[in-house]
Amino acid sequence: MLSLRPAQSDDIPLIAALHAQSWRASYRGILPDAYLDERAEDDRLAVWRARFASEKPLWVRIACWEDEPVGFVCLLPDEAPELGIYLDNLHVRGDQQGRGIGRPHRTGQAALSLGLRAQCRCLRRVCQARRRSA
């Protein structure tokens, strides 16, 4: 069963590894192989350390399938408040895809937990429009 738990600073290496793994799977052929293979994880580690140290509000949840971390979601509630909630990252391990872990409604549920009902409705409309155009 899927659960979302709040990320802590101890999770930074896990988040960076999941992020880099997702990039290697998704951006091969778009970003240089040398970067993906040799530097992406260190770069993501630096980014996530800086984010967790920042004063800006950060909402990160670790997706766990039967208590095993399999992905994460990051929302930036104050990035562009006039436009709604900003979904910055949504990454799921490749071997866990197809279970519905990253479905848009899960992100909507995350937004609801932040009390962002209006932005959640907007997010749902965007997701519905994307599905229709796909």
Side-chain angles (χ1 to χ4, degrees), residues 66-121:
E66 298 179 359
D67 297 323
E68 178 187 355
V70 295
F72 74 96
V73 59
C74 175
L75 306 176
L76 303 176
D78 292 341
E79 189 69 20
E82 69 282 1
L83 299 175
I85 192 166
Y86 181 71
L87 171 60
D88 184 58
N89 286 273
L90 178 59
H91 297 277
V92 177
R93 275 187 1 209
D95 65 330
Q96 297 295 312
Q97 292 177 3
R99 290 187 166 180
I101 294 168
R103 283 192 183 136
H105 77 273
R106 298 206 189 281
T107 307
Q109 289 170 344
L112 285 173
S113 74
L114 283 171
L116 300 171
R117 295 182 190 283
Q119 291 88 340
C120 184
R121 284 192 302 273

Side-chain angles (χ1 to χ4, degrees), residues 2 7 15 20 26 32 34 36 51 58 60 70 76 101 104 107 112-113 118 123 128-129:
L2 178 68
I15 294 167
S26 300
L36 293 170
R51 283 187 165 183
L58 182 67
V60 181
V70 295
L76 303 176
I101 294 168
T107 307
L112 285 173
S113 74
L123 176 62
Q128 289 167 350

Side-chain angles (χ1 to χ4, degrees), residues 5-76:
R5 67 168 175 80
Q8 307 296 324
S9 58
D10 292 350
D11 291 314
I12 292 171
L14 169 67
I15 294 167
L18 288 166
H19 200 167
Q21 179 184 23
S22 178
W23 276 24
R24 283 190 290 273
S26 300
Y27 296 144
R28 183 87 47 202
I30 298 170
L31 294 176
D33 286 351
Y35 171 77
L36 293 170
D37 296 334
E38 299 165 17
R39 295 193 343 252
E41 195 159 336
D42 288 339
D43 284 355
R44 297 299 88 204
L45 188 58
V47 165
W48 287 105
R49 283 183 177 147
R51 283 187 165 183
F52 272 81
S54 174
E55 296 292 320
K56 283 184 150 186
L58 182 67
W59 191 94
V60 181
R61 295 295 184 266
I62 305 295
C64 297
W65 190 267
E66 298 179 359
D67 297 323
E68 178 187 355
V70 295
F72 74 96
V73 59
C74 175
L75 306 176
L76 303 176

